[in-house]
Every structure is written in structure tokens, then in C-alpha cells.
Amino acid sequence: MEQPLVSIIIPCLNREKLIRETLDSIIAQTYFNWEVLVIDDGSTDNTLNVVANYTETDNRIRLYKRNIQLKGASVCRNIGIENARGNYAIFLDSDDLLLPFCLEQRVFYMSSHPELDFGVFQMLSFDSNGIIKDSNLLKEKENYLYAYLRHDLPWAITCPIWKVSFIRKYLIGYNDKYPRLQDPEFNTRALLVEGSKFQVLLKADADCLYRTHTDKSFNTQA
């Protein structure tokens, strides 16, 4: 039986110093049936060349340039959704990392629970010295929709794995009019879909890492 394809969508802007580590964390996955869609938002550094080198050595990695005037992470993620070939999608920021078992854990769970539209997994953070903080970022809430409406955000953008069919049918994509807080708006709409089915796996092993920056110049794009 063929393994489901996972589309990993990465918006990217001026990340030449970090994008290699992000892509290497995907290449190191124990699950092999994935594709990466890097959507460049108009980088002025060497990001394009760095990513292009990866596309030449691994045909699972594809590079797109934002082709419309409107810019931002939402626009780039929507280009990724449009071009994704996968059964599942993960939205990964260009400075964050996946732990080696991330895709294997998520695909196994989603395949074992085909009724789910999305599953939400644990995340840890790490600093500029590579030190991982032993504190899960995924938070338990009595009602996740109410939490989002109160702006008490229970999970980060890379925590969920989505059925691509659910995104395309019910969410269409990200709201590109939001300069900030695009993912809370996206998640709120997902939770408002009548009959949507999801699971928050509070006890799962954390499988992705959120990078914290002391140098604010790195925070050029979510």
C-alpha cells in the first residue's frame, strides 16, 4: 500500500542563514513520502540560490516565487496550497524545525483515524544556541474555539497536520488581507466548520521545534 504524500509548505523571505537547517530537518525524516514547497516572498539575499541548490539534489523540494503583487506569508501559503499534491499538509515556518520522527508519527495517527480532518501535535521551542526548552507549547483548553476567540492561542502553526481536501473544500486558504495573526484566523475558521473532526494530542511526543530569536532582525516573516 502506497504511503500518503505529505506536503510541507514553507513561506520564505530573506532566510539564507536559516533555511538550510529547516530543509535538512525535513530531509532527515524517517518517513520518506513528502514534498516541500518553498514559496519565496521576494528575498533580496541569497535565499533563492540556497533553496535552488536543494531542488537540484532532491526532486521532492520545489521552489516557487510569489507571482502576484500582494505579498506576505498568507499569500505564499496559498500558493503552496494551490500547488500541493499531498494527501496531508503541514505549514512550516522557514526558521523552525521538524524532529526526525515528526512525519512518521503524524501520518501513522491520521491514517489510523481517517475520520479526522486535522490532528494537532506537541511542539517545543529552542534558542539561538540550539538549547531545547523542556516545555510543551501545545496547551490544553476546555474549548479550543473559545480559546481562539479569546486570543488565548493553544497551538502554533506547525502543530497541526491537515487533510488537504478539508482545507480546499472548507477553508480555501489563508486570508491574505491579514498582515499578522493569519494562522489564528485560519484555525478559528477551521474550528467553525460544522462537523469538523480534529484531535489535540497532548500526550504525544513533541515532534517539531519553534525557534526563539534574540536578534529581532530575523523576524522578517512568520
Side-chain angles (χ1 to χ4, degrees), residues 1-5 31 33:
M1 183 176 178
E2 186 177 352
Q3 294 179 317
L5 178 65
Y31 185 89
N33 198 23

Side-chain angles (χ1 to χ4, degrees), residues 32-156:
F32 301 105
N33 198 23
W34 50 261
E35 64 173 2
V36 169
L37 298 86
V38 178
I39 303 90
D40 186 77
D41 199 25
S43 294
T44 56
D45 62 0
N46 197 42
T47 296
L48 285 170
N49 288 332
V50 170
V51 178
N53 287 337
Y54 277 85
T55 67
E56 292 173 2
T57 58
D58 194 324
N59 61 13
R60 296 174 295 179
I61 301 173
R62 308 204 305 275
L63 173 62
Y64 296 84
K65 297 180 183 179
R66 175 178 47 80
N67 55 4
I68 61 175
Q69 185 174 2
L70 190 64
K71 62 178 295 158
S74 290
V75 175
C76 293
R77 291 184 185 117
N78 288 341
I79 293 172
I81 292 168
E82 180 181 351
N83 289 280
R85 302 167 183 165
N87 309 93
Y88 301 116
I90 292 174
F91 298 102
L92 177 62
D93 284 345
S94 56
D95 55 345
D96 294 338
L97 307 176
L98 302 183
L99 292 175
F101 62 91
C102 175
L103 298 186
E104 184 174 5
Q105 172 173 254
R106 295 189 185 194
V107 171
F108 176 80
Y109 191 85
M110 293 295 288
S111 297
S112 301
H113 299 81
E115 74 281 2
L116 295 181
D117 299 305
F118 62 99
V120 187
F121 288 78
Q122 284 285 6
M123 185 182 220
L124 297 174
S125 64
F126 71 111
D127 61 23
S128 58
N129 296 316
I131 298 174
I132 297 176
K133 300 176 182 177
D134 188 20
S135 178
N136 290 326
L137 298 183
L138 178 60
K139 304 301 182 185
E140 183 175 12
K141 303 294 179 184
E142 183 176 349
N143 185 303
Y144 286 96
L145 174 58
Y146 290 168
Y148 269 106
L149 292 174
R150 295 193 304 268
H151 200 64
D152 179 17
L153 309 182
W155 63 73

Side-chain angles (χ1 to χ4, degrees), residues 192-211:
L192 283 168
V193 173
E194 185 175 0
S196 64
K197 295 180 175 60
F198 69 99
Q199 183 69 44
V200 179
L201 290 102
L202 294 162
K203 296 183 179 180
D205 291 336
D207 61 14
C208 54
L209 300 176
Y210 173 82
R211 186 188 300 266

